[in-house]
Amino acid sequence: MRPNARGGDARENGRLVAAALAGAWRSPAPPLALSPADIAEITPLLVRGGTGPLAWWRIRRTELQYAAGARSLRDTYRCDTLQAAIHERHTIQAIAALRSVGAEPLLLKGWAAARLYPERGLRPYGDIDLCVRPEQYEAAVAALTGRAAETGVVDLHRGLPELYRPSLDEVYDRSQLFPLAAEEVRTLGFEDHLRYLCIHLLRHGAYRALWLCDIAVALEAAPEDFDWEYLLRGEQRQSDWIICALRLAHELLGARLDGTTAAGSAKRLPRWLVPAVVRQWGTREHYMDSSTMTASLRRPRSMLKALRLRWPNPIQATVGVGGPFNELPRLPFQLGECLLRTAHFVTQVPQLIRQRSVGPVGRGAHTPVPGERSR
């Protein structure tokens, strides 16, 4: 087990994080059987991972609100509640800018995920993920260029490769409009939204507990006419990925699977999967931070640490090479993914250095860097 910065092991702290977040999105949230010392130990992990507001939501009316570190959870909850209003305004402005040039965007994650929580501030997010049709992409980039002050940082996607859907038209046909202030926001339909969350979680190594909370929330908010067959339509391997993500939400966070396809599936989680997730949640080092590699180009002494942090965990490696979630050793997948990522990183070095020098501006093109931070 990887030692934690404060003496505990990462796997045990990751299990404490999971315990703190289990059912935390519900209203009322279930009782929490952790000690004040446990809360104090994992508060930095919760805050860093964007789940501080959820943890506060769960303990705010219990004696644990007086635990050491709980004030940080409360302050994070208050700050993210205020930030939610700013992000919503940016979302409206970004969508209006795209529609002004005839591009109809689909909102991914962000507000689309936050709206399913009891309060918007419980699900923080930073940049705004929007998808447009490929033929609308260039016009959309032009519409957003130079408007970061109005729109915030926009991560614009050309189509939806993470969904593995053969028809973008069908995705748009199944999309939904929801009111946000004076604007209507188009989001993925319930099935595509849940599918996207599952694949995104696994593609990024499940390193943020917040993403698994999103899956749990979407799973429990699914309408009665939810189309489970459509959710799992496509290649069997990708369907198995989605089943694994849903079972992870049940295993670690207590998400309800009753009446779902995942509940009746014969697919079982491989024995290495849950330990890999909780170990990731319990470490204080930032996994797959691309800026670490960029910085190491200027400070070669830090290269070894940067390489260690960029070593793919078994979850990301499996999805990165299109592998199955089974009981076979993960090392071959990790080696293969590492080679692929290294080749990709070399091609991205000039852009990463340029972004580091200029700082965040309203991004137009979405150039995926494996492991990039996303909320």
Side-chain angles (χ1 to χ4, degrees):
M1 297 180 185
R2 188 188 307 174
N4 219 352
R6 292 178 56 188
D9 70 74
R11 188 176 298 180
E12 177 57 28
N13 280 350
R15 290 195 177 277
L16 291 176
V17 168
L21 297 176
W25 58 88
R26 298 181 188 133
S27 184
L32 179 59
L34 294 185
S35 69
D38 292 334
I39 295 297
E41 174 69 15
I42 64 174
T43 288
L45 297 170
L46 294 165
V47 172
R48 188 208 69 183
T51 52
L54 273 175
W56 174 252
W57 177 261
R58 190 168 185 191
I59 70 171
R60 71 195 193 286
R61 294 174 181 168
T62 72
E63 289 299 313
L64 289 173
Q65 67 178 300
Y66 305 112
R71 179 176 294 182
S72 294
L73 301 178
R74 182 199 64 190
D75 292 346
T76 303
Y77 163 78
R78 291 176 174 176
C79 178
D80 285 335
T81 298
L82 295 173
Q83 285 293 325
I86 298 173
H87 292 319
E88 289 180 3
R89 186 172 71 250
H90 285 162
T91 298
I92 293 170
Q93 294 291 341
I95 290 173
L98 295 180
R99 285 176 174 163
S100 71
V101 296
E104 179 62 15
L106 277 168
L107 180 66
L108 314 173
K109 301 181 298 175
W111 182 83
R115 71 178 190 84
L116 298 178
Y117 286 77
E119 292 184 4
R120 298 286 194 266
L122 295 179
R123 204 295 184 189
Y125 54 97
D127 55 6
I128 301 167
D129 287 83
L130 294 171
C131 151
V132 295
R133 296 177 185 273
E135 64 271 19
Q136 298 173 342
Y137 183 76
E138 298 302 330
V141 170
L144 293 172
T145 300
R147 303 186 66 168
E150 303 170 41
T151 66
V153 179
V154 176
D155 200 355
L156 190 65
H157 302 250
R158 188 197 301 264
L160 276 173
E162 283 192 358
L163 267 179
Y164 298 100
R165 292 295 195 200
S167 171
L168 188 59
D169 287 337
E170 184 176 27
V171 172
Y172 265 91
D173 288 343
R174 299 177 69 98
S175 66
Q176 297 175 297
L177 287 167
F178 293 97
L180 177 58
E183 195 68 58
E184 281 193 320
V185 176
R186 185 175 299 278
T187 70
L188 294 170
F190 273 103
E191 295 85 1
D192 284 324
H193 175 68
L194 182 55
R195 183 182 177 93
Y196 185 87
L197 293 176
C198 290
I199 294 175
H200 180 269
L201 171 91
L202 299 176
R203 275 175 56 90
H204 292 274
Y207 82 91
R208 288 175 67 84
L210 182 63
W211 295 338
L212 195 61
C213 291
D214 287 345
I215 292 172
V217 172
L219 186 60
E220 295 191 359
E224 291 185 2
D225 61 350
F226 189 92
D227 191 339
W228 292 98
E229 181 180 350
Y230 175 76
L231 171 73
L232 300 175
R233 185 190 303 172
E235 293 186 13
Q236 184 60 48
R237 183 158 294 178
Q238 292 154 13
S239 298
D240 288 344
W241 293 350
I242 294 168
I243 293 293
C244 281
L246 298 180
R247 286 191 172 277
L248 267 178
H250 173 70
E251 176 79 17
L252 288 175
L253 302 179
R256 301 186 183 108
L257 290 181
D258 298 343
T260 70
T261 299
S265 172
K267 178 71 177 176
R268 294 291 180 265
L269 295 179
R271 285 173 291 182
W272 54 266
L273 184 53
V274 168
V277 173
V278 295
R279 187 185 303 116
Q280 194 61 61
W281 291 359
T283 183
R284 286 173 168 78
E285 290 179 314
H286 193 287
Y287 174 64
M288 299 304 289
D289 185 355
S290 59
S291 64
T292 307
M293 283 298 293
T294 308
S296 70
L297 297 176
R298 300 177 180 177
R299 296 191 296 273
R301 291 182 181 179
S302 64
M303 180 64 74
L304 287 178
K305 179 180 179 181
L307 289 173
R308 178 171 59 82
L309 291 178
R310 295 288 291 176
W311 176 250
N313 75 17
I315 304 162
Q316 185 177 38
T318 300
V319 175
V321 300
F325 281 80
N326 56 25
E327 297 293 349
L328 293 177
R330 296 295 102 180
L331 182 58
F333 298 99
Q334 290 171 288
L335 290 172
E337 172 67 1
C338 191
L339 290 174
L340 291 172
R341 184 181 300 110
T342 299
H344 179 76
F345 176 77
V346 170
T347 67
Q348 297 299 313
V349 167
Q351 179 181 335
L352 291 171
I353 293 176
R354 186 166 58 252
Q355 288 176 350
R356 185 177 177 84
S357 301
V358 175
V361 294
R363 274 184 292 178
H366 173 68
T367 304
V369 179
E372 65 186 346
R373 188 170 185 178
S374 178
R375 299 182 74 176

